[in-house]
Amino acid sequence: MFPLSSQKKFWTFANEQQLSELRLQQNVNYINSHGAEMNQEQREAFFLLLAEERVLIKQYELYLNDFCRRFEPPMPKCVVGTAFHYFKRFFLNNTPMDYHPKEILATCVYLACKVEEFNVSIGQFVGNIKGDRNKAMDIILSNELLMMQQLNYYLTVHNPYRPVEGFLIDIKTRSNMSNPERLRPHIDEFIEKTFFTDACLLYAPSQIALAAVLHAASKEQENLDSYVTENLFVAARDKLPALIEAVRKIRFMVKAYELPSKEKVRLIEKKLEKCRNQENNPDSQIYKERMRKMLCDDDLELPLDSSYHVADSSADMSMLNMSQESV
């Protein structure tokens, strides 16, 4: 159950300010570590600002969603939700300057497939990727352990989809609405939009689910206020004000979301290529040498030109079938 889960205890936060502070701390730590010899003006020109990181992450969340939507065989909604959770959690405790989101994205989806028991092999998975699939496989498998470590091995995710089913059954039973199933397309659309916000890091899945149901009802010109007050919370009226406030904030977050500017993303990615950590850049010689030494320590021999790398940014977008034009 969510109230007793690791998600509630370790990955649900008090407010948006707490999230901003975590992200800012990662940004500051990276800049202090890699820009010790620079003055403030040089740092701002060379490194990504926190606002620039947020724009970049927004764009890669769109890529993630697009990849999942095009996946064959069709991907269950719970896998998509879990992948979004992993992606957001990873970049709470890491900066894109340290780990480029293009090298984290596919690993989040692949790990989510495993955890949610959507049984696709690594071969089937990379079959959905255009370009060099061996390179894609290297990216995913070399980052899988890193991903689990950064998630502190708390891999179980509670998504809003199960509470939605409970609400729909209850509405059919205890409300006067005709054909509640007509709410479903609006519900699914709303939940998908919440994944582009920080709602899943701030609110319980049941709160997100209820916000989605009420949003869908308003779209269908139905009023469920009496159902919520007289049926759903008749025995717990003291909890109703907090629930109403949570639902209001979730709906506002979805309404306030804005697509990132493609031109801004292009400039940020260009800046990132200069300031990213080369030790974690699979294209860099530093990374290849480090991997060679690690494997040699295990009595394995890895040539310097091994394919522990990814293609350049434009090639990766083609590889993952996630071009900006497709968003």
Side-chain angles (χ1 to χ4, degrees), residues 57-68:
I57 292 300
K58 274 187 173 184
Q59 185 63 54
Y60 279 87
E61 288 173 349
L62 292 170
Y63 292 149
L64 189 159
N65 190 63
D66 191 59
F67 177 65
C68 293

Side-chain angles (χ1 to χ4, degrees), residues 105-199:
L105 186 155
T107 308
C108 290
V109 180
Y110 180 65
L111 185 59
C113 288
K114 285 186 172 183
V115 171
E116 296 294 344
E117 298 183 355
F118 177 48
N119 296 316
V120 291
S121 67
I122 184 64
Q124 288 176 297
F125 187 90
V126 299
N128 285 270
I129 295 174
K130 292 185 176 180
D132 190 327
R133 289 166 181 170
N134 288 329
K135 289 182 180 180
M137 195 177 298
D138 281 344
I139 294 169
I140 294 165
L141 297 180
S142 63
N143 283 327
E144 188 175 13
L145 179 58
L146 168 70
M147 176 62 59
M148 290 189 288
Q149 290 171 334
Q150 292 298 316
L151 297 173
N152 293 324
Y153 300 96
Y154 297 124
L155 304 182
T156 300
V157 170
H158 296 262
N159 283 297
Y161 297 110
R162 183 171 293 179
V164 160
E165 297 305 320
F167 283 130
L168 288 177
I169 292 171
D170 198 50
I171 290 169
K172 291 173 186 177
T173 304
R174 297 199 291 168
S175 81
N176 297 320
M177 181 186 295
S178 62
N179 188 23
E181 281 296 319
R182 61 194 163 97
L183 301 180
R184 195 177 292 277
H186 300 299
I187 290 172
D188 289 345
E189 180 184 12
F190 184 89
I191 291 177
E192 180 178 301
K193 288 180 178 179
T194 66
F195 290 137
F196 299 124
T197 74
D198 283 332

Side-chain angles (χ1 to χ4, degrees), residues 230-245:
E230 296 173 16
N231 293 322
L232 198 60
F233 278 85
V234 66
R237 291 190 179 277
D238 57 314
K239 296 181 180 180
L240 193 56
L243 176 69
I244 292 173
E245 181 65 9

Side-chain angles (χ1 to χ4, degrees), residues 18-36 38 40 42-57 90-99 268 271-272 275-277:
Q18 191 175 0
L19 300 179
S20 296
E21 289 172 354
L22 285 170
R23 290 164 177 153
L24 179 60
Q25 190 60 55
Q26 301 305 319
N27 178 272
V28 169
N29 289 346
Y30 182 87
I31 293 174
N32 286 343
S33 174
H34 292 80
M38 299 180 185
Q40 187 61 30
Q42 291 171 326
R43 289 183 173 195
E44 290 180 4
F46 185 74
F47 295 106
L48 296 190
L49 305 176
L50 181 60
E52 292 173 322
E53 290 189 358
R54 298 308 305 146
V55 169
L56 188 69
I57 292 300
F90 185 91
F91 285 109
L92 271 182
N93 295 321
N94 295 280
T95 167
M97 290 184 286
D98 219 353
Y99 297 99
I268 292 168
K271 188 176 181 183
L272 179 58
C275 67
R276 66 178 299 192
N277 186 353

Side-chain angles (χ1 to χ4, degrees), residues 55-56 58-59 62 257-265:
V55 169
L56 188 69
K58 274 187 173 184
Q59 185 63 54
L62 292 170
Y257 174 82
E258 294 182 356
L259 288 170
S261 162
K262 292 182 179 180
E263 179 60 22
K264 281 186 179 179
V265 171

Side-chain angles (χ1 to χ4, degrees), residues 79-93:
V79 177
V80 183
T82 296
F84 265 101
H85 273 266
Y86 291 168
F87 192 76
K88 288 177 179 294
R89 291 178 184 184
F90 185 91
F91 285 109
L92 271 182
N93 295 321

